[in-house]
Every structure is written in C-alpha cells, then in structure tokens.
Amino acid sequence: MTEFWLISAPGEKTCQQTWDKMMATTTRTNNLSANHKFNIPDLKVGTLDVLVGLSDELAKLDSFVESVVKKVAQYMADVLEDSRDKVQENLLANGVDLVTYITRFQWDMAKYPIKQSLKNISEIITKQVTQIDNDLKTRASAYNNLKGNLQNLERKNAGSLLTRSLGDIVKKEDFVLDSEYLITLLVVVPKIGYTDWQKTYETLAEMVVPRSSNLLFEDNDSGLFGVTLFRKAMDDFKHKARENKFSVRDFQYNEEEMKADKEEMTRLSTDKKKQFGPLVRWLKVNFSEAFIAWIHIKALRVFVESVLRYGLPVNFQAMLLQPSKKTMKKLREVLNDLYKHLDSSAAAIIDTVIDIPGLNLSQQEYYPYVYYKIDCNLFDFKV
C-alpha cells in the first residue's frame, strides 16, 4: 500500500504519551498500521484570522502541487516510453524512494525557513511549484513536437505499400530517367494478383515496353513493380490498371528530395537523443522538488488545522500511519473510538455515515482528529 494517513492529536501530559497511546491501540495489540512520528518544527503561529484564511489557501495549494507532482511523474513515464519499468527508480525525493522520504520526513530549513511566517512559506512553495509547472509545459511542448515530427516521418516509412513512402526502397537504376518519351511507373499489385499482372500489364495500354516489369519490393500483402511505357500512354495505363485492381503510386524519382527526407529523419532522431538525457535529468530534479514541496504543504496543513482545532499553546503530536487495504476500515473505527472525545460533532457525522449508507458524507473526510491522506500512487497505470 502506498497510502498514508497523516493525523494529529493533542498532546496529553506530554506528546510522547499521545504517541504511546496511539501505538498501543493501532499496532502493539492488533497490527492495524505501520506508524511513524511526523516531525513538524515550531512554526510561527500568527493570528487566528490569518490561520483561518491560510487553511483554505493551503487546501487549494495542496491540490495544485499534487497535480504538478502527478504531471511530472506521468511525463517521466511518457518520455521513458519502453522503459516504463524504470520510472519508479527515477522518481525519488531527496535521493531516496518516496516511502522512505515520507516516513523519515525532516523539515527543510534551508528551503522553507521557519523564521518566516506561515503565509510567506506557502508563497515560497506556490512560486516554486508554479515555476516547475510552467517549465514543464515549455519543455514538454518542445520535446513532443520533436517526437511527433519524427513519428510522422517514421510512419511515412512504414505501413502498407499503398501509403508508405517509397524513397527508401527504390534505387536510381529502377527508373528510366531524363527521357523525353519514356517514363517508369510504380505499381502496387496484391500478391494474389501477380499472375494476372504478368499476363496483362503489357496490354493495359498501348506503348508499354515489353518485359519491362520488375518486382522491386514485397511486403506481406503486396509487391511493388516498376513498369516502363511511353509518357503519352500514362493516363490510359493508370485508368486500366485501376480497373484491374492494380494501384499506380504517384511517385517521381528525385534524389534531392529523398536525400533531404533522410537527412531530416537523421536530424530529428539525433535531436531527440540529445534532448532525452537532459530532459530526464530535469524531470528527476523537479519531481523531487515538487514532491518535497507537497509533503511540506501537508505538514503546514496539519500544523494550521491542529492549532485551529486544539488551540494554543501549540501542543499536538503529528503521526504518520500506513494501513493495509484490509485494515483500513478497522483502523478508522479504532481511531474514532480513541479520539471521539475531541469533537462530538465529528462523531455524529461518522455515525450518520454508518447509519445512512448512500448519503456519502464520508467524502468530506472530517474526523474528530486532524487527518490528511498522502497517496504515493502517482499513476493511472501499473508501472
């Protein structure tokens, strides 16, 4: 399970007692979750008005930063293409995997100085993550354009003989070139029609050069034949070929154009390889930055909400619980029993949810204790 519950409860005689009680109830007797203390430093409280306003702002900021974290992770998976199994090892926070970072969380004093007000810290995070979001849009757009152009060229060089580019499969010697009277046409013939082609191609129009048909290339379904005829019979030949289910490709041998296409493909392929390394490095660094910012927002939200709920002086224990899927329901019940004395209205909401299924009040996720979910599963697909 990559889901964590970040909760806080007021300190009893000491915060350690709060921790011991929670551990005894959720781990020592019934193994409902793996628990860790979540260290939040002594932040500046500020006024009640500021805290109330900040509570709403932080909720919005939390959603925004989570969306950026997911965007960077998803784009990393897109860029790694066939190596998606390597995504997880590239998505680290401060050089460690995400679970380790969260369970050993330490406030980053250098990035988010605690002498600053809570509002200033949230503004630092907003500015930082907005910059990452904007940079991601710019970089992704440039790389996607390059990738798209390359894919279009690759597509032109793949597919059936009826649609694909023919420049890379024909040679100069396959054509009668620079003749005022003669022209070589390229005709796609289904494999089941080879015999018919050999029997009829010389009579599809007047002035077809006898025995000029050559098989130049085959795929699974068809063959590409070259045939030479007089220019003035060309329209008639095309028309008759179509009636016989032979497809004449509109192709003129032009060495300059074909060379330019090849060079363009090489250039795009080289550019993509050149950009790949720096882009993956940028994604790694900025995923880490965004993820760290996100967990700091969770810490800020726990701090602000705990002060608003439990009052001053600041005295609460923040705790990180990692339940398994099987134990979630039971863990929620145990926590509600343990903390229902903190807020009778929350207990009433919980009872309502249990008594009236379908009312879906549980989506509000309001409990007698402070609670925020951290879900480290950042993808819609399995990696």
Side-chain angles (χ1 to χ4, degrees):
M1 277 291 288
T2 51
E3 183 176 308
F4 292 90
W5 295 359
L6 181 52
I7 71 167
S8 85
E12 300 189 19
K13 281 181 186 159
T14 65
C15 287
Q16 185 60 35
Q17 268 186 317
T18 305
W19 169 254
D20 290 341
K21 202 167 177 181
M22 199 272 303
M23 283 295 282
T25 319
T26 63
T27 301
R28 293 193 187 116
T29 52
N30 45 19
N31 208 19
L32 292 176
S33 59
N35 304 330
H36 307 268
K37 281 185 179 177
F38 191 84
N39 297 312
I40 300 174
D42 296 328
L43 299 165
K44 282 190 165 181
V45 176
T47 65
L48 187 63
D49 281 357
V50 168
L51 287 181
V52 171
L54 202 55
S55 179
D56 287 342
E57 281 172 34
L58 286 171
K60 289 175 193 151
L61 185 55
D62 189 345
S63 297
F64 167 64
V65 177
E66 182 180 4
S67 76
V68 173
V69 167
K70 285 185 170 173
K71 267 193 260 181
V72 177
Q74 186 67 55
Y75 196 61
M76 173 77 87
D78 293 349
V79 168
L80 288 176
E81 293 177 38
D82 301 333
S83 313
R84 278 193 166 185
D85 53 333
K86 298 223 166 45
V87 174
Q88 220 69 59
E89 68 196 54
N90 282 294
L91 297 180
L92 304 173
N94 245 359
V96 296
D97 66 84
L98 307 185
V99 170
T100 303
Y101 178 78
I102 294 169
T103 52
R104 297 183 190 166
F105 175 75
Q106 291 295 325
W107 187 275
D108 190 325
M109 301 286 182
K111 277 198 188 98
Y112 313 115
I114 58 171
K115 290 193 172 124
Q116 302 251 13
S117 69
L118 296 173
K119 189 153 182 58
N120 279 6
I121 294 172
S122 84
E123 280 167 2
I124 290 169
I125 292 174
T126 305
K127 195 173 167 189
Q128 177 198 9
V129 179
T130 303
Q131 184 66 51
I132 291 172
D133 193 35
N134 291 337
D135 284 356
L136 176 66
K137 282 175 193 154
T138 308
R139 286 167 189 269
S141 170
Y143 190 73
N144 289 350
N145 280 342
L146 183 59
K147 196 166 136 185
N149 291 339
L150 184 58
Q151 279 170 344
N152 287 340
L153 273 181
E154 282 168 348
R155 220 171 279 129
K156 273 169 72 178
N157 288 332
S160 87
L161 283 170
L162 292 168
T163 54
R164 63 166 291 172
S165 165
L166 303 175
D168 61 331
I169 57 177
V170 293
K171 303 183 197 71
K172 191 174 183 177
E173 52 268 28
D174 297 330
F175 294 84
V176 172
L177 296 170
D178 308 320
S179 164
E180 194 180 333
Y181 301 108
L182 294 172
I183 185 167
T184 302
L185 296 181
L186 297 180
V187 186
V188 179
V189 178
K191 281 190 172 172
I192 53 168
Y194 279 13
T195 310
D196 285 349
W197 167 257
Q198 293 298 351
K199 278 183 194 163
T200 59
Y201 81 90
E202 290 178 2
T203 58
L204 289 175
E206 291 180 355
M207 304 185 177
V208 175
V209 176
R211 294 198 293 280
S212 64
S213 165
N214 285 312
L215 178 60
L216 308 177
F217 185 85
E218 275 185 310
D219 65 13
N220 292 336
D221 308 307
S222 316
L224 184 71
F225 287 83
V227 61
T228 303
L229 55 146
F230 279 76
R231 284 180 185 273
K232 59 182 176 184
M234 187 167 69
D235 290 341
D236 194 25
F237 182 89
K238 282 182 179 177
H239 177 69
K240 287 280 179 12
R242 199 161 43 243
E243 282 179 357
N244 283 271
K245 305 215 167 20
F246 307 137
S247 307
V248 179
R249 287 290 307 265
D250 191 14
F251 181 85
Q252 280 183 317
Y253 187 86
N254 183 322
E255 240 168 341
E256 291 303 308
E257 263 179 42
M258 283 155 58
K259 193 176 162 203
D261 274 357
K262 267 189 188 150
E263 281 171 0
E264 176 68 356
M265 189 136 173
T266 308
R267 185 186 69 76
L268 289 172
S269 188
T270 308
D271 278 2
K272 188 185 167 199
K273 280 180 192 142
K274 257 191 212 157
Q275 286 191 26
F276 177 80
L279 180 60
V280 169
R281 275 194 296 281
W282 184 91
L283 288 166
K284 280 172 79 163
V285 168
N286 287 278
F287 173 82
S288 176
E289 292 295 307
F291 190 85
I292 289 167
W294 186 39
I295 304 305
H296 279 75
I297 291 164
K298 296 289 187 191
L300 284 176
R301 290 189 78 186
V302 169
F303 182 84
V304 169
E305 199 61 28
S306 299
V307 173
L308 287 172
R309 289 234 211 152
Y310 310 141
L312 291 168
V314 174
N315 181 27
F316 67 87
Q317 178 63 54
M319 300 167 277
L320 191 69
L321 283 56
Q322 190 178 10
S324 71
K325 220 174 183 80
K326 288 179 189 163
T327 60
M328 280 184 167
K329 191 167 181 286
K330 181 66 180 160
L331 179 62
R332 191 65 81 191
E333 287 165 9
V334 165
L335 291 176
N336 289 332
D337 280 345
L338 185 59
Y339 297 125
K340 64 185 172 194
H341 65 281
L342 297 175
D343 188 340
S344 53
S345 63
I349 288 175
I350 289 148
D351 292 340
T352 312
V353 174
I354 294 161
D355 292 342
I356 314 173
L359 212 68
N360 222 3
L361 285 167
S362 60
Q363 284 190 338
Q364 296 171 7
E365 297 200 303
Y366 184 82
Y367 302 100
Y369 48 93
V370 171
Y371 159 82
Y372 295 106
K373 183 169 84 169
I374 303 173
D375 189 353
C376 292
N377 181 25
L378 306 171
F379 300 101
D380 303 329
F381 58 84
K382 287 213 163 55
V383 288

